[in-house]
Amino acid sequence: MAGVAGRLGRLWCSGALSSPLQVTRFPALQLHLCGPAMRASQKDFENATNQVKLLKKDPGNEVKLKLYALYKQATEGPCNVPKPGVLDFINKAKWDAWNALGSLPKETARHNYVDLVASLSASSESSIQVTPAADRKQPGSDALVVTSQDGITTITLNRPDKKNALTTQMYHDIMLALEAAGKDDSAITVLTGNGDHYCSGNDLTNFTDIPPGGVEEKARSGAVLLRDFVDCFIDFPKPLVAVVNGPAVGISVTILGLFDIVYATDRATFHTPFSHLGQSPEGCSSYTFPKMMGPSKATEMLVFGKKLTAREACTQGLVTEVFPDSTFQKEVWVRLKAYSKLPPNAMRISKQVIRNTEKEKLHAVNAEESNILRERWLSDECMNAVVSFLSKKAKL
Ligand SMILES: CCCCC/C=C/CC(=O)SCCNC(=O)CCNC(=O)[C@H](O)C(C)(C)COP(=O)(O)OP(=O)(O)OC[C@H]1O[C@@H](n2cnc3c(N)ncnc32)[C@H](O)[C@@H]1OP(=O)(O)O
C-alpha cells in the first residue's frame, strides 16, 4: 500500500534507512551482538548509514524498526522523548523499538547497527533486483481478475503473495465487477481466490493510509466503503457462488452468509478473529450467523474467534458442500457449468423470491455494523492489534 510504503519509507530518514523501495515484510533477521574487541568506528557507522540507502532488497518493517532504534541509540543514547499517543501508531512502533534498547551503550548500538547493515547487504546482493516503486503497477491494478465463460462470470482475488488480502482499491474493484456481472449475460457469478488462500480479509495496512482529515476521517470513509461494499452483495440479483479454495479470514468469511452457494475445499478454514483485532462483526454476520448456526455457535466464531474447519462450517450451514482438495476444482466447475445452463431468468427470479423478504433487514444490519465498526477502528484495542500485525508480532 502506498500509505505504509510512504509512511514507513519516510521514517528511515536520518540515515537509518531511506530507500525508495516499497515496504514489504520479510522474515526477521537476527541482530548480531558484538564483543568488546570488535567495536565499530564512527567511520564504519557513517559508511553503514550510506550503505543502507543502497540496499536492493527491502528488509521489511521489523528490521527497519531495529535499524531505526539502533541508529537513535547510537546517535542520541537511550530513548528520551515522550511516548506518542496510541493513535499515532507508526511513531509509537518506532518509540517502542528505541525504548526497548534501554541503556544499551551508544558504541554497542553503533556496532550492532554496522553489523546489521552488513548482514543485510550480504543478503541483498544475492537477491533479485527490485523494480523501483515508480515503475511498478499501482496496487490493485491486477489484484482482481474477471473472466466470463460458459455462462459464468468469475471474479478472482489475485494477490496470492498477500493471501488475497483486500486493499481499498480491491473493495472498489469488486463493487464494480459485481455491478457489471449483475447486468452481463452470464447466469451465475463466482467469487474465488488465486493461490493457496481464498482471502485473508481486510488488508491491515489499509489502516495506515491516513488522509489529511486524520484517523476520524479514515474511520468515517472506511465505514461508508464497508457499507457500500456489503450492500452490493445484499442486492446482487443472480445466483452468487463462493468457490473457497483455501483458508478464509475476516470479511471474506462474514459475507459468505450473503452468498447463495458456498463450495469449499477440505483445506479451507473459516476464521473471524474480530475480538483479537479489537473489531466487531460485519458483512451482516451478526444477523446471518446466529440465524444459520444458532447464537451460541455464532458467538464462538464472532466473539471468541473460533476457527472452523470446512467440515465444521458445513455442519453449521455456512458452507454448502465440502470437496477433497485433490478434486475440488474439477468437481466444482463441472457442477457450476451444469447449473449455468439452467434458464437464467428463472434462476434470478427464484433467488429474489428466496432473498427479497430479508433485504430490508440486511441493509439495516449492515448500516448498524458499519457504524459500530467506525467507532471500533478508533479504539486502542484495534490500533494496538494493527501495530502488532505490522511489526510482525502477531499472526492469527
Ligand atoms: C473498507 C474497509 C472494510 C474493512 C472491513 C473489515 C474487515 C475485518 C477483517 O477482515 S479482519 C481480518 C483481517 N485479517 C487478518 O487479520 C489476517 C492477518 N493475516 C494472518 O494472520 C496470516 O497472514 C494468515 C493466517 C492469513 C496466513 O499466514 P501464513 O503464515 O500462511 O502467511 P503470512 O502471514 O506469511 O502472509 C503472507 C504475506 O501476506 C501478508 N498478509 C496476510 N494477510 C494480510 C492482511 N490481512 N493484511 C495485510 N497483509 C497480509 C503477510 O503480511 C505476508 O506479507 P509479507 O510476505 O510481506 O510478510
Side-chain angles (χ1 to χ4, degrees), residues 25 161-162 200 202-204 251 282 392 395-396:
R25 292 186 288 107
D161 56 331
K162 299 289 179 190
S200 61
N202 188 40
D203 188 311
L204 293 170
I251 191 165
E282 22 62 358
K392 204 80 175 178
K395 189 171 279 193
L396 298 167

Side-chain angles (χ1 to χ4, degrees), residues 23-27 159-166 168 171 196-197 199-207 221-223 225-226 229 247 249-252 271 273-274 277 279-280 282 307 373 377 389-390 392 394-396:
V23 172
T24 49
R25 292 186 288 107
F26 295 93
R159 281 184 91 208
D161 56 331
K162 299 289 179 190
K163 310 298 178 190
N164 296 322
L166 299 171
T168 302
Y171 288 107
D196 60 0
H197 273 58
C199 176
S200 61
N202 188 40
D203 188 311
L204 293 170
T205 69
N206 288 342
F207 288 109
S221 62
L225 179 57
L226 173 64
F229 177 76
V249 187
I251 191 165
S252 72
H271 195 192
F274 299 127
L277 294 166
Q279 296 185 41
S280 51
E282 22 62 358
K307 190 195 286 186
L373 259 175
W377 287 330
F389 177 80
L390 292 178
K392 204 80 175 178
K395 189 171 279 193
L396 298 167

